[in-house]
Amino acid sequence: GDSGGARRPPSSPGRAEVSSSREAADNAERLLREMWSEHEVWRGRRGKNPKNIVLPDVVTYSTVISAYAACLEQPYGVDRARELLAELEGLAVREFDESRHGAKKEEGRDMTLVGDGGGRNPNGFMPNTTVYNTLLQAYANAGNASAAGDILRSMI
């Protein structure tokens, strides 16, 4: 029946929901780390990655950042999302430097992050508006205007 138009406030998530959302975000990050691990295995063999090894890129990071931003366990989720953005920004700087100065060599191994047109890293690492907007929304939802301001300043 009709309850007179009154709306019930949304219920708080239960422990199982909070745990499940954190587990999903942690699993997404675990997959990201496995992608890097596969790259490291082949890099250690002093050869180019085979074409079937997919390197993480901005889309991969954006997906994991979104999972943490949506995580019901806060501030854990948004803190991990911010740490991953910092990691992504560092990779973007390294990729930019390598594209301007040629691939870095370390102990005779190819250390480049720059995509070679083989489809392994087609999107690069430059954070895009999706990544920043995801974090801005998470901080806004958490009522953390200061952290949102920090993200905005980092964009300009």
Side-chain angles (χ1 to χ4, degrees):
D2 186 13
S3 61
R7 293 188 127 169
R8 286 186 350 186
S11 61
S12 296
R15 281 186 210 180
E17 290 173 297
V18 171
S19 177
S20 178
S21 73
R22 178 177 175 160
E23 185 178 340
D26 288 342
N27 284 339
E29 184 175 0
R30 193 170 302 112
L31 288 172
L32 169 70
R33 301 300 171 207
E34 285 179 25
M35 292 172 78
W36 279 119
S37 178
E38 287 293 315
H39 171 66
E40 292 297 316
V41 166
W42 282 99
R43 192 179 89 183
R45 294 180 181 168
R46 298 179 187 257
K48 284 201 162 255
N49 283 338
K51 295 293 184 191
N52 63 344
I53 298 291
V54 178
L55 293 175
D57 61 13
V58 67
V59 175
T60 315
Y61 274 84
S62 178
T63 302
V64 179
I65 287 168
S66 292
Y68 277 117
C71 179
L72 297 174
E73 185 177 330
Q74 297 297 344
Y76 171 78
V78 75
D79 289 345
R80 283 300 303 136
R82 183 65 181 106
E83 291 166 7
L84 285 165
L85 174 60
E87 182 178 321
L88 180 62
E89 289 170 333
L91 289 165
V93 167
R94 180 174 162 196
E95 180 181 51
F96 177 76
D97 287 347
E98 289 176 3
S99 69
R100 290 189 46 151
H101 301 103
K104 304 279 189 265
K105 300 286 183 180
E106 180 178 290
E107 300 172 22
R109 294 182 294 181
D110 183 4
M111 300 295 286
T112 188
L113 292 174
V114 179
D116 67 354
R120 292 191 306 271
N121 193 1
N123 297 308
F125 294 104
M126 183 60 65
N128 56 30
T129 55
T130 300
V131 173
Y132 289 113
N133 286 339
T134 298
L135 270 172
L136 285 171
Q137 185 65 51
Y139 282 127
N141 290 344
N144 191 338
S146 174
D150 291 343
I151 296 294
L152 283 171
R153 281 185 289 284
S154 76
M155 293 172 66
I156 47 178

